[in-house]
Amino acid sequence: PGREGVLNITVEALAAWGVTVEQAFDAARRNDDADAARPWLVSAKHPGMFRSPWQDGRAGARLINPRTLTMPLHGRAVAVLPTPSMLLVAGSDDEQGLLHVAEFARQEVQRTDRQHVLRAFRLAADGGGWEDWLPPRQHRAYHAFRALEAIQERREYAEQSEHVEAGARAKGMDAVPLPRLDVLAQSVTGEVMTVTTWRAGRPTALPKA
């Protein structure tokens, strides 16, 4: 049978099935462990980069299972989720692999509108969680990862603006459009910036830029 889609299972449904919450979580863990055993996709064109083999929209959820990351990495795992079904991983000490991850994610952003999370995450030192991460500014992959982060920031501020305007309309108030956040990249240095402009007059919130 196919495995597409997401089903929210309530406590009432578990009770009707005669299944306890603990049993349900044990079954979910076994399923994730079985999925984790699948080999990651690799390519000679992208050495050091590992791409998730699942196409079910749950790639990000697998980050909570440490048994998912069994591939050989140089340094701690760095992950990017350009789409719900694509998880890209490289080692934090693998400069070439990180460059491939950032470039592959950028190409995916250009190819599809189904962007997910473009910020990079690095596995915590104790292996118990994930942290926002950017390589040092002198790192070859810094500008590429910063560009992805800036695209994420632009999208988040656009979503915030939509919610603010919708909230104002629901209250019968005039919606004040928030200034737009733009992403600029210098052609010479590759430095990436977020920029916003506004008009004098009515007070308005400005996005961080």
Side-chain angles (χ1 to χ4, degrees):
R3 300 182 59 188
E4 298 181 357
V6 176
L7 174 65
N8 294 321
I9 301 176
T10 64
V11 175
E12 291 77 15
L14 293 178
W17 298 341
V19 176
T20 67
V21 173
E22 291 75 16
Q23 290 172 329
F25 276 111
D26 284 341
R29 179 183 55 79
R30 290 194 298 271
N31 290 338
D32 275 347
D33 285 348
D35 282 345
R38 295 181 61 182
W40 285 67
L41 305 179
V42 296
S43 169
K45 294 181 178 180
H46 306 99
M49 185 188 82
F50 296 84
R51 183 158 58 96
S52 58
W54 317 283
Q55 296 295 322
D56 56 7
R58 298 195 305 114
R62 292 182 171 87
L63 289 176
I64 65 175
N65 186 350
R67 288 171 288 277
T68 301
L69 302 172
T70 57
M71 71 284 283
L73 297 173
H74 299 291
R76 287 189 257 164
V78 172
V80 178
L81 282 157
T83 73
S85 292
M86 181 180 292
L87 175 61
L88 305 175
V89 176
S92 58
D93 297 333
D94 187 344
E95 188 172 80
Q96 187 178 39
L98 290 171
L99 282 168
H100 288 309
V101 165
E103 177 60 20
F104 202 93
R106 184 189 66 80
Q107 292 176 1
E108 193 65 19
V109 168
Q110 294 177 338
R111 190 185 70 84
T112 178
D113 292 330
R114 295 191 66 201
Q115 298 171 21
H116 195 39
V117 181
L118 299 182
R119 285 189 176 87
F121 300 96
R122 183 177 64 176
L123 190 65
D126 62 0
W130 295 85
E131 57 194 15
D132 286 347
W133 180 83
L134 273 179
R137 292 185 67 88
Q138 66 272 19
H139 196 284
R140 286 175 58 203
Y142 170 80
H143 294 306
F145 277 99
R146 173 58 192 135
L148 292 174
E149 184 182 60
I151 294 171
Q152 175 83 18
E153 292 170 351
R154 179 179 62 189
R155 188 182 69 180
E156 289 173 353
Y157 279 115
E159 292 176 354
Q160 180 193 22
S161 179
E162 292 175 1
H163 289 308
V164 170
E165 293 181 28
R169 288 193 297 269
K171 296 178 181 179
M173 302 168 57
D174 291 336
V176 180
L178 295 180
R180 190 177 66 180
L181 195 70
D182 293 313
V183 178
L184 299 179
Q186 295 183 4
S187 59
V188 177
T189 64
E191 185 76 20
V192 176
M193 300 176 292
T194 51
V195 179
T196 188
T197 58
W198 69 98
R199 295 178 181 177
R202 188 171 182 176
T204 185
L206 287 177
K208 181 181 178 181

